Amino acid sequence: MTQFPGAPLGPSDPTTPMPTSSATNPYGTPPTAPLPTSWAAGTAGTADAAGSHVQDRPVADAVPLGGYSYSSPAGTPYAAPAPSPYGTSYSAPTAQQPYVTQPAVRPTNQYAIIGFICSLAGVATGISVIVGIVLGHIALGQLRRDPYQEGRGFAIAALAIGYGLLALGLLFVLFWVVIWASIAGASSYG
């Protein structure tokens, strides 16, 4: 027997019930229900003498694996399920996910972030180091008053970078002052 797509599995006569055994079905043998009369009139498909497939009814009308069709009275397939042959259907209650609270996202202090950026930009500009130091102090003061904010590391980094660059800048200026003073003092004695 050749099986074609859409043809039911099992015997070629749709009125013959599918064989079941308790060995393959752990719930026992299901009660049999009569097939619709439209299915008893034809077969899912036969082969003619030339070996080509002749289909007696459309594939959409073929019996599904369970032997029951899912079609609405309006004729649209799969619109509503057919009544259960086992009586009232029971649907198990759905398990709900436990309510999980996520930890609140603590905001980062904006002055700390801006102070850190200004201190880093002080390497190129020189002037923004002072802005970074001021904003770092403001951020540390706000973080002491509001412990639910983050950004203490940014504020401390802004202060460390700012004061480090300020100290390097002062040493650079002091170095040039000493150089110019020595040059000016050497030329006046000459």
Side-chain angles (χ1 to χ4, degrees):
M1 177 174 119
T2 305
Q3 291 290 327
F4 297 100
L9 297 175
S12 62
D13 183 15
T15 58
T16 306
M18 298 280 292
T20 59
S21 69
S22 59
T24 59
N25 188 353
Y27 303 109
T29 305
T32 58
L35 293 174
T37 57
S38 65
W39 290 349
T43 60
T46 58
D48 62 3
S52 64
H53 182 261
V54 177
Q55 191 163 348
D56 295 335
R57 65 176 187 264
V59 175
D61 195 26
V63 180
L65 287 177
Y68 299 99
S69 172
Y70 297 105
S71 62
S72 69
T76 57
Y78 303 102
S84 173
Y86 304 108
T88 306
S89 64
Y90 171 76
S91 63
T94 58
Q96 293 182 358
Q97 295 292 329
Y99 183 71
V100 178
T101 57
Q102 294 181 352
V105 177
R106 294 172 48 179
T108 305
N109 190 302
Q110 298 299 315
Y111 288 117
I113 294 172
I114 296 170
F116 177 71
I117 292 171
C118 287
S119 291
L120 283 178
V123 173
T125 62
I127 253 344
S128 65
V129 170
I130 296 171
V131 175
I133 292 172
V134 170
L135 290 177
H137 281 292
I138 292 172
L140 280 179
Q142 288 180 349
L143 290 169
R144 264 186 245 122
R145 287 188 300 267
D146 187 9
Y148 295 108
Q149 284 187 349
E150 291 184 351
R152 182 172 170 79
F154 279 122
I156 291 173
L159 291 175
I161 293 170
Y163 280 127
L165 288 176
L166 186 64
L168 285 175
L170 289 176
L171 286 175
F172 183 74
V173 169
L174 184 62
F175 172 75
W176 283 107
V177 167
V178 170
I179 295 276
W180 282 105
S182 65
I183 292 174
S187 64
S188 65
Y189 293 113

